[in-house]
Amino acid sequence: MNVFSNFTIQVQKLKRYIKYRKKDSILISISFLFLFLSVFTSKFEIQISFFLSLAVLIFLSLIYFLNFLPFELFISKFVLKFLIFSFFVFFSFLYKDLFLLFSFPFLLLFFDSPFILLFLSLFPFYIIIQLNQNFIPYLIYVLLLFLLSYFEKRKMIKIIEEKEKISSKLRLFDIEKMPKEKAIRELKSPLYPEKPVPLFRFALNHLKEVYKQIIFPNSLAFIFYDPASDGFRIEVGFSKKKAFKDKGIIPSYSPLIKLATQRNEKIYFPEFSGSSFDIGFYTSDINIGSVCLVPIYSDGDLYGFIYADKEEIRGFSESDLKFLEFLSREISLYLKFFISLKDEHLLAVRFRALFELAKETAGKLKLKEVAEKILNIASLLKEMDVACIFEKKDDVIKVVAVNKEKEWIREGSRFMHSEDSIISLLFKSAFPIFTGRIKSSVPVIGRINPDIKSILAFPIRIEGKLKFALALFSRFPDYFDEKDKEIFEFLVNQAQISLEKAILFEKTLELAIKDSLTGLYNHRTFQEKLMEYVKRGMPFSLLLIDVDHFKKINDTYGHPFGDRVLMRLADILKNETEKGGLSARYGGEEFAVIIEGSKEYAQYRADEIRRRVEKEEIYTDEGERVFLTISVGLATFPVDGKERRILIERADRALYIAKRSGRNRVVSWAQEEMGLF
C-alpha cells in the first residue's frame, strides 16, 4: 500500500512538472527520444557527405567549449545540457568512427550531477560493446569522473549547510530566547515602521554584531552608493581604531573603490602594502595587513560593498572570505525586501496624496489654484526637475503653472503650437508621451532642449476637448518607469475632474463679474478693480471711451448689428490690455480701460487704440462697410487725482471735451486744464 501511495505521489509530481514547465518537459521528451532512437538505429548505415558531418562536429564542439567559459556564456540549464548530449549521442551512433571519442568529454557537461553522469555514460558504453572494443579505459574514465563529481558535490553541500547554520544566527527576533507569550505578541505586531529605512539600518547593525564575532575584523563597514554625492555612504561601521570613519562618504574615485567598481567582483589583498589613505576609510595612516571588499548586489544591480580589514598579513582565512560572501547575500536579501517595502510605502503615500488632491479640490477653486495643487501633489509623488501644466488656445501653448521656474520655462510663458517640439506633438497626437532617451538635438518645448533626457506627459481633456497637459521633465535618462506612468495616469484622471470643476467655477464667477455681451468686466467689478489700483499706489491712467454716433448706427442698421460693433470693440480693448491693465464695459456704448505706467505711455496707447478702431473694417449683412470711431477721455493717477471718484470725474470731463471738439480723438485732463479746448 505504501509503495502504491509513493508511486501516486510521484505521478502527481510529474503531472505538476509537465503542467507548469511545459517547455522543459518537451525538451526532456525530445532528448529521451533521441537517446533511444540512437540505440535502435545503431545497426543502420546512413551516408552523409563529409562536409556536413564536419559541420555538425564543429557545431557540437563549439557548444561544448562555450559551456566551460568562466562566465557561462551559453549553457546553464540542465535541460539544455541534456538535449545537446542526446543529439551528440545520436550522431555518435550513426558515425561511430568520427564521433565516438567526443562522447567522453561531453560527459563533463554533467560534472555537477554525479549520478546523472553515471546514468548517461551507459549510452557511449553501449557503443563500445557494439563495436567489440576494449571498454576498460572508458570504464576507468567514467569511474574517476564520477568520484571527482561526487566529492565536489559533497563539498558544495557542506558549504550550503554552513551557510544555513550562519543564517539561523541572523534572525532579527530570537524566538527561542523569548518567553512564549512575548514571541506571539511580537509576531502579531507589525515588523516594520512607517518608513522602512530605520529597520533596514537596524538589520545591518544586527548583521554587523553577528559577523564581527565570527571573522574578528579590525574594521567592518557596509557602504551604499549615494548618487547625490557620487560616492558611497557609510551606513553602518565598526572599528577598533579611532581613525576609522564610521560615517560620511567614501568618494567613488578612491583607489580601492574605483578598482572594485571596475571589476564588479570581490577584491582581496592578503598582503596590503599601500597606505590606509588609499582605502578612504581612515583619517590617519595606520598599519593594515590585509583588506577585503565584497560587492552587494540585488537583482543584478550593484548597490554597495562590505569592507573589512585586519592588522595581520593574510589575516582572512578561506572560511572568513566565504562568510563575507554569505554576508553579502544576506544583505542582498534584506535589501530586496526593504526595496519592495519602500515601494509599497511609496505607493501608499502616493494614493494618500491623490486622496488629498480630491479632497482639496472638491470646493470652489480657481483654475490657477487647482493647477498649483496638482503640481504640489505631483512633486510629492516623485522628485523631478520641472513639472508644469500647459494650456492650448488656438495656436499658442501657455504655461498655466510650474513647480520650479527655470530660465527656459516660467509661469505665463507662451510657445507656438506649430513648432516641432515634443509638447506640440503631445497636443497634436493627443497621446501620452513616455520617453527616457531624448537626444539633445530634439526640441522639448518651443525650439529648445534645455538638457532634458526624460519626459512623462499626459493630455487632459475637458468636456471631450484636449485643452491641457501635465508634463514632468528630468535631466536623467530613463528616469520614469512603468509604475510612475501608472500612478500619474491616476493623478491625471483626478486632475481632469478637478480642472473641470475649476473651469465651471470660473465660468460661474465670470457671469457675476463680466458683461454677458462683450466678455469684459462689468461696471460693478470695474469699480472694485479701480479701487484696488488706487490702493496699490502705482501710476496708472483711466480711459473712458465712447463710440461715436452709436445711436445712429443702431437706428440705421438695427440693434443686432450694434451689438456686433460693441463686441468687435471689446475684442480690440481686450487684446490691448493683455500687455498690462484691464478693460470693462462702463455702460451702454461706453467702455473703461486702465493702462499701467506713465501718462505719456497711456496717451500713446490710447491713440493706438483709437487708430486701430478707425482702421477696423465692419460690414453689414448686405456688404456695406460701416466706419467706426471712438472718443477717449484720459486722467492719470496720482497727478490728475488721488481718489477714485475724482479720477472718474476728470476722465469723464476729458471725454466730454473730446466729443465736443469733433470726436475721434484722445483728450487728457491736463490738456483741458491748460485751456487748449
Side-chain angles (χ1 to χ4, degrees), residues 454-491:
S454 300
I455 290 181
L456 182 57
F458 301 90
I460 302 176
R461 296 179 180 275
I462 305 297
E463 296 178 352
K465 295 181 180 179
L466 179 54
K467 291 188 176 181
F468 297 94
L470 171 66
L472 317 173
F473 303 94
S474 175
R475 293 176 289 109
F476 300 102
D478 298 322
Y479 185 71
F480 303 105
D481 55 27
E482 287 292 339
K483 189 173 287 186
D484 295 325
K485 184 181 178 184
E486 181 182 349
I487 197 70
F488 278 103
E489 280 179 346
F490 193 85
L491 172 64

Side-chain angles (χ1 to χ4, degrees), residues 292-314:
C292 185
L293 203 66
V294 181
I296 300 171
Y297 286 95
S298 181
D299 291 332
D301 296 324
L302 178 65
Y303 278 84
F305 295 96
I306 301 169
Y307 170 81
D309 64 40
K310 288 191 178 185
E311 291 184 353
E312 304 86 4
I313 293 175
R314 301 187 181 278

Side-chain angles (χ1 to χ4, degrees), residues 155-309:
K155 187 178 177 181
M156 291 301 298
I157 291 172
K158 286 182 180 180
I159 292 174
I160 293 170
E161 288 175 353
E162 287 179 5
K163 179 187 174 183
E164 290 176 352
K165 289 178 182 178
I166 294 170
S167 299
S168 65
K169 297 178 182 179
L170 302 179
R171 290 180 296 178
L172 296 178
F173 299 99
D174 194 350
I175 303 294
E176 295 176 358
K177 296 180 181 179
M178 288 184 182
K180 184 177 180 181
E181 295 79 14
K182 186 178 180 182
I184 294 172
R185 187 167 61 251
E186 289 289 351
L187 288 172
K188 286 184 177 179
S189 62
L191 295 181
Y192 53 88
E194 184 181 0
K195 294 184 179 180
V197 175
L199 183 60
F200 180 57
R201 194 173 289 114
F202 169 74
L204 293 177
N205 274 299
H206 188 84
L207 291 173
K208 177 198 71 176
E209 293 299 324
V210 171
Y211 274 90
K212 78 179 185 181
Q213 301 299 327
I214 296 176
I215 62 176
F216 302 103
N218 180 51
S219 299
L220 179 67
F222 307 141
I223 61 175
F224 294 89
Y225 183 65
D226 185 354
S229 57
D230 192 24
F232 288 82
R233 185 183 65 259
I234 302 175
E235 198 66 51
V236 170
F238 152 80
S239 181
K240 298 175 183 177
K241 303 293 183 181
K242 291 183 179 179
F244 185 77
K245 296 191 294 186
D246 57 350
K247 293 180 181 179
I249 300 292
I250 307 298
S252 57
Y253 55 79
S254 298
L256 184 64
I257 298 295
K258 188 175 181 180
L259 178 64
T261 51
Q262 286 175 348
R263 291 189 180 180
N264 280 335
E265 60 182 16
K266 179 182 70 180
I267 302 294
Y268 177 47
F269 295 103
E271 298 180 9
F272 184 74
S273 58
S275 169
S276 60
F277 287 115
D278 295 335
I279 297 173
F281 286 87
Y282 292 93
T283 56
S284 61
D285 195 9
I286 64 168
N287 181 40
I288 297 175
S290 49
V291 172
C292 185
L293 203 66
V294 181
I296 300 171
Y297 286 95
S298 181
D299 291 332
D301 296 324
L302 178 65
Y303 278 84
F305 295 96
I306 301 169
Y307 170 81
D309 64 40

Side-chain angles (χ1 to χ4, degrees), residues 36 119 138 145 370 398 444 482 569-570:
F36 286 107
F119 169 73
Y138 177 78
L145 195 62
V370 170
K398 178 184 176 183
V444 172
E482 287 292 339
L569 178 57

